[in-house]
């Protein structure tokens, strides 16, 4: 684990969902009864010299019945989705108080920030870039290109802490003085709340940041 406290220059998936309300299902059931009455009346009043084919009756009945079954199926699927959402919320609630790893900015409150980094494998020099909430680079620090887990102390070159707030991090990889690549440094943030927004679970992080539960890469006990 490498602690960083030195600085140089600081200048600069949708998926459509079909749902049917109980009112719609009830209305369709009523329409189905009306359809049967109309079908019966049609059979009683048909021209005896030119009767309607029995297959035509069967087609009409089968078509309406199919629609009714589809609506009922959609109603059951909607109810099942709500049940699964409750289960997902219950499971995610256990994440509160733990740390999640993601690409989200981390909140600095004077305590060191844990980072997971992946410098280019061919790099002979790597730099941690720190940006404030406005996207301005406030620190650039050289790190060991072989390190994968580091700690940002939040101190400037004179040993004074940066202001409290959210900071984002990136890694620049170089080889023989030439730029190779840049990648996001992953942060660990404590979950303070889990909230359900429609069909999605939103996690509230320390400092007020928000991420989707789907964006979490790993979970660990808070340190």
């Amino acid at each position: 684990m490498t602690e960083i406290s030195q600085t140089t220059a600081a200048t600069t998936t949708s998926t459509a969902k079909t749902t049917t309300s109980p009112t719609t299902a009830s209305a369709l059931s009523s329409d189905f009864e009306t359809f049967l009455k109309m079908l019966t009346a049609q059979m009683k009043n048909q021209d005896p010299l030119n009767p309607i084919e029995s297959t035509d009756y069967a087609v009409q009945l089968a078509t309406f019945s199919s629609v009714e079954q589809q609506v009922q199926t959609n109603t059951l699927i909607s109810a099942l989705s709500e049940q699964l959402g409750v289960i997902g919320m219950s499971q995610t609630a256990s994440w509160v108080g733990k740390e999640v790893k993601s690409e989200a900015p981390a909140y600095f409150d004077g305590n060191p920030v844990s980072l997971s980094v992946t410098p280019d494998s061919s790099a002979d020099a790597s730099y941690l870039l720190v940006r404030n909430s406005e996207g301005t680079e406030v620190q650039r620090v050289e790190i060991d290109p072989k390190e994968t887990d580091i700690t940002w102390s939040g101190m400037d070159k004179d040993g004074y802490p940066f202001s409290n707030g959210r900071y984002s991090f990136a890694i620049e990889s170089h080889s023989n003085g030439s730029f190779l690549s840049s990648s996001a440094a992953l942060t660990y943030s404590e979950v303070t709340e889990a909230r359900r927004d429609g069909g999605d679970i939103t996690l509230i992080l320390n400092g007020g940041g928000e991420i989707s539960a789907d964006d979490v890469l790993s979970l660990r006990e808070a340190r």
Side-chain angles (χ1 to χ4, degrees), residues 27-162:
L28 184 58
S29 177
S30 176
D31 289 344
F32 186 68
E33 293 177 2
T34 301
F35 170 77
L36 290 178
K37 291 178 181 179
M38 294 177 62
L39 185 63
T40 301
Q42 184 181 20
M43 294 175 66
K44 289 180 179 180
N45 297 288
Q46 65 178 318
D47 186 351
L49 299 178
N50 185 28
I52 298 176
E53 294 290 338
S54 59
T55 53
D56 292 337
Y57 288 118
V59 169
Q60 294 179 46
L61 183 61
T63 300
F64 200 91
S65 178
S66 175
V67 172
E68 182 187 40
Q69 291 177 6
Q70 183 62 52
V71 170
Q72 292 176 346
T73 298
N74 290 344
T75 301
L76 291 174
I77 291 176
S78 177
L80 180 59
S81 296
E82 291 181 2
Q83 291 282 346
L84 292 176
V86 171
I87 293 174
M89 182 65 180
S90 176
Q91 293 176 338
T92 311
S94 65
W95 294 7
V96 175
K98 294 183 171 60
E99 291 182 340
V100 293
K101 181 169 70 173
S102 71
E103 292 188 9
Y107 183 76
F108 175 69
D109 57 3
N111 293 312
V113 177
S114 296
L115 303 172
S116 176
V117 300
T118 309
D120 194 295
S121 59
S122 59
D124 57 22
S126 295
Y127 299 87
L128 174 68
L129 278 60
V130 183
R131 295 184 174 89
N132 61 21
S133 59
E134 298 177 351
T136 301
E137 183 179 312
V138 296
Q139 192 173 47
R140 176 185 293 260
V141 185
E142 185 170 5
I143 64 172
D144 186 338
K146 304 303 180 183
E147 288 281 4
T148 57
D149 293 294
I150 61 178
T151 299
W152 180 62
S153 67
M155 301 291 181
D156 64 18
K157 63 180 181 180
D158 297 319
Y160 294 102
F162 283 98

